[in-house]
Each structure stands twice: as structure tokens, then as C-alpha cells.
Amino acid sequence: VEDADVEIISPEVFGQELAEAKSERSRRSPWKIDEYLDWIQTYEPGSASTAAAFVEVFKRSGYEIAGGQGDGRTLNARLSLRGKPMTVFALNTALRGAMIECCFEHLAGDPHLADAFLSVAAGLLPSRFDIAEIRNQRYGRRPNIPLSDLTPDVAETLVLEVTEALVKTSTSG
């Protein structure tokens, strides 16, 4: 409908735009490892070797890597613990750049696992984690560390040591 210089557009069905937007989002393909690494190489070349190191150590350590379907480029690294796949880390891109996210909240249902993860991560990167605050929030935080602040060696050490602690904790109790 047009009235003078104003065009009035009305949906055929109330809420149709929202349903179409959700439908469009659900049709997106998950991000692939190569797409994520290509994006990092193009937009944050200084972090490319660290991102690649995370991906390689995830693969060697038995993680399933699954891409997210959202607008941001995300790779979720899941490890099977106590018979369930749990997201331990997520590589993502954010307004502040490429990050590694420590997904404590995904382990919060098992405080022994969550605490093993936190203890190792905080021991390796003490300035990045407020242990008391994370424990007080019942592991509900997901700290993000810029990839530009890490080296490939630190990435490998973080994943290997966290994985070792999680596997040991999951089989001991």
C-alpha cells in the first residue's frame, strides 16, 4: 500500500518475518575448519599459526571439532568425558578478534571436572582466570583469551594438559 511518499508494508501473517529469519538461520551450514582458518589467515594473520595449532592438537587429542551455525565463526572442541561429549574449548571470532573460549559452564554439572579444567588452565595462564570468582559463579563463566596473546606452543600445552587432567579426573571418580 502506498500513501504519498510513504510505502506501508505489512506481513501476510503476523510474525512471518521472525519465522523466516529463524528458518534462514537454521539452514546455514556449520562453519568448517578450513573456513575458520581461512578467515583467521585473511583477517588476523598474526593469530593464524596459533589457531592452526589449536586445531591440530584438538585432532591429536581426540576432540570432535564441530562448527557453529551462527553469524560468528566458531569451532567447538568436544571431548567425550564420562560417556558424554562435552564442549571444553571453542575457537571463535568476536568483535575483539579471534579467541579461545574456555567452556567451564559445559562442565559445571560435574564440579570435579570443572575444577580440574580451571586448575590446569589457571596454572598455565594465571593472569587470565580469577579462580575464586569462577568457583563462586559455579563455573558459569566462559573466559575468552585472544589468540594474539598466545603462541602455538602455549596453545598445545594448554590443550594437552587440560585434556590429561580431564581424562584422569573422569576415570578416577
Side-chain angles (χ1 to χ4, degrees), residues 64-153:
E64 171 195 349
I65 303 172
Q69 289 182 290
D71 291 330
R73 287 144 193 88
T74 303
L75 296 177
N76 299 306
R78 297 184 186 117
L79 187 63
S80 183
L81 299 165
R82 301 196 180 173
K84 299 188 298 189
M86 297 183 184
T87 300
V88 179
F89 295 103
L91 284 167
N92 62 59
T93 57
L95 293 176
R96 297 175 297 162
M99 306 273 187
I100 183 74
E101 183 176 306
C102 296
C103 303
F104 299 121
E105 71 177 11
H106 292 275
L107 304 176
D110 188 328
H112 297 293
L113 286 175
D115 202 59
F117 183 8
L118 175 60
S119 296
V120 171
L124 291 170
L125 303 165
S127 65
R128 298 294 180 170
F129 303 98
D130 182 336
I131 294 175
E133 179 185 345
I134 292 170
R135 285 179 178 150
N136 286 339
Q137 293 182 0
R138 295 190 173 119
Y139 307 97
R141 296 213 36 221
R142 296 169 71 156
N144 285 273
I145 303 166
L147 293 186
S148 60
D149 290 356
L150 303 174
T151 65
D153 289 340

Side-chain angles (χ1 to χ4, degrees), residues 18-93:
L18 180 60
E20 288 171 357
K22 285 183 178 181
S23 175
E24 181 64 31
R25 185 171 51 214
S26 68
R27 284 193 293 252
R28 287 189 191 133
S29 298
W31 294 104
K32 294 178 177 63
I33 293 170
D34 291 342
E35 292 172 330
Y36 178 84
L37 294 175
D38 287 347
W39 188 94
I40 297 293
Q41 184 64 49
T42 301
Y43 296 101
E44 274 195 60
S47 299
S49 61
T50 301
F54 271 115
V55 168
E56 289 308 312
V57 73
F58 290 151
K59 288 178 181 179
R60 286 195 329 265
S61 300
Y63 285 79
E64 171 195 349
I65 303 172
Q69 289 182 290
D71 291 330
R73 287 144 193 88
T74 303
L75 296 177
N76 299 306
R78 297 184 186 117
L79 187 63
S80 183
L81 299 165
R82 301 196 180 173
K84 299 188 298 189
M86 297 183 184
T87 300
V88 179
F89 295 103
L91 284 167
N92 62 59
T93 57

